[in-house]
Amino acid sequence: MKKRTVIATIIVVCLLLAVGGVLLFSPLMAGCSSEATRSNAFSAGAAVTGMSTTETTLSEASEIPLEIQTGCYYLGRFDGKDCVLWFDQVKGKSFGGKAYAVGTAASASPVSFSGTFKGRRCVLHVDQEKRVLKKIDITANAQGFSGRCREEGSQRSFNFQRYTPPTYQPAADTSRYHREYFDVEVVNNVKYGRASGYWVSRVENATDYGKIISSGISKTISEHEFDLYMDIYLPKGDTLQKRPLIMFIHGGGFFIGDKQDNPIVLWCKHFARMGYVVASINYRMGFRPSKRAIERCGYRAAQDAHAAMRFLVHNKDKYRINTDYLFAAGSSAGGITTLNLAFMRNKNRPEATQGNLFTHSLGDIETSGNDLKETFRIRCIANMWGSVHDISMIDNAKVSIISFHGNADQVVPYGYDVPFQDMKIPVGDLFFNKMYGSKPIHERARKLGYRQALHTFEGCGHAPHVDKNNNPTDKFYFIQKEMTSFFYKEFVPQDVKINHTSGQNYEVAVNEYVRTSWNVVGGILLSRKGNSVRVLWLDDAPEQRLEFYGRLKNGAAVEDTFIRKK
């Protein structure tokens, strides 16, 4: 705006201030939280507070109404020109302050003004120019002022309302899904099914394969019916009605392990503290020493994992689970089972799971464990040194996958090979078929365009996340950090940034917000529509900063700050 226009606007503003404007509760100050678009230049710019109905009306005023305050901004119009006023002196018959013209420019410079009432006239000085206002009528209250006056034979009108900066309300739990925040409540031994097998839990401290297998082989003579249990970890005190779910599946070569294995419990508590519902399951284990029996054992684990997920989806209201966000994670045999849960379909069933003269068919994946018919889609998984028997099954579902694997793993192949190559007697080819490890899985997912990541532990063998006493190593915490970050991207798939689109306009290009909040330092929030705002920066402000907070429907909270460089 040209200097003379600015001066004229300031004069009008000052005049209005002196007159003590009418409070017109127009859309002008409808509040920062409103999503509506309003025609006024300052619509939705700030909240009106106080809402006092007490007002002063002065016909041909000879002094400034008491309701006009110092130390705050007033937004409004004089003769159709938008401007911002600031009073630093209001006392009796004199006043002073500064004004900013609102045009299309990104910022505005202040113009000083001062005025004095002399009888029924107001002598106004704006940027060294003198103006005389006459017949000043003003109506004012705590929210603003309006009125009219005459200058050089012409009648002027004005209307200003007090600007209250928008309330910036980031929630206390902005850490959700990427930092620990909640306490944890654990519900132990929740029954999710029943099935026939050899055992469903075996805690074993021995590390020698021969001793482990020989001590369990006698239990594989006959099968028994077993109840299948899970532990459920819940974020205590959480108010979100639908939370994402992670299912953890322990490892142990399909022969040993339990849902309360130390690293699994630590991970379950970590993710529950971040706002997830977390389940750790037991599943059927044990096999006789043959390729066919081992394949059947792995398939049974997949059936049980499927039954557990059906159970959780069936009980989604009880545990407040958002079935759009189903995650799974597992290590070793648990990694294999996680991959099978996400990608295996009945067409991919190993041949050994079909019936023959000596064994019965194990049935389809979804026909074991319970009679629940719920369907589901796994959204994202963490594969820790797992593998698949059929690489083509990765094509079945677009699932985000993060993998961790040591490239010197002799138990589960990193590439394409036979498992258990570290046994003292080379019997891997005798008992196992070749499997595709994390490297070919990652390459397949990348080729298919899935969101994927592979972290290779150079020179590391199997299960580098724990030491010989099953306590977490530095790699445990590395995996936890990367898994947390990778999973978080499912809630916020793109970086949230405040973009300066043009002039006074800024926006955040993310949808599905439940609530958003903006804060302006060193400027005025003129208007807001959806995820966009219009801001006028004040050139004399020592700092200019725009802050954004948003909460998404999935519970994730996002923030960003835009720093304006003068």
Side-chain angles (χ1 to χ4, degrees), residues 536-550:
L536 175 68
W537 299 109
L538 306 181
D539 287 339
D540 57 339
E543 180 185 10
Q544 296 177 342
R545 183 175 76 247
L546 178 62
E547 297 172 322
F548 170 81
Y549 163 82

Side-chain angles (χ1 to χ4, degrees), residues 180 184 186 233 264-274:
E180 293 184 359
V184 178
V186 184
Y233 298 73
I264 293 294
V265 170
L266 293 176
W267 275 329
C268 287
K269 289 182 177 179
H270 168 71
F271 281 96
R273 288 188 183 110
M274 293 194 299

Side-chain angles (χ1 to χ4, degrees), residues 498-534:
I498 299 173
N499 298 310
H500 183 198
T501 55
S502 64
Q504 300 171 345
N505 301 305
Y506 299 82
E507 70 174 11
V508 174
V510 177
N511 296 319
E512 298 189 349
Y513 285 110
V514 173
R515 178 167 62 87
T516 59
S517 183
W518 294 85
N519 185 44
V520 181
V521 176
I524 301 292
L525 184 62
L526 299 178
S527 63
R528 171 181 171 181
K529 180 182 179 183
N531 299 329
S532 303
V533 291
R534 182 181 166 213

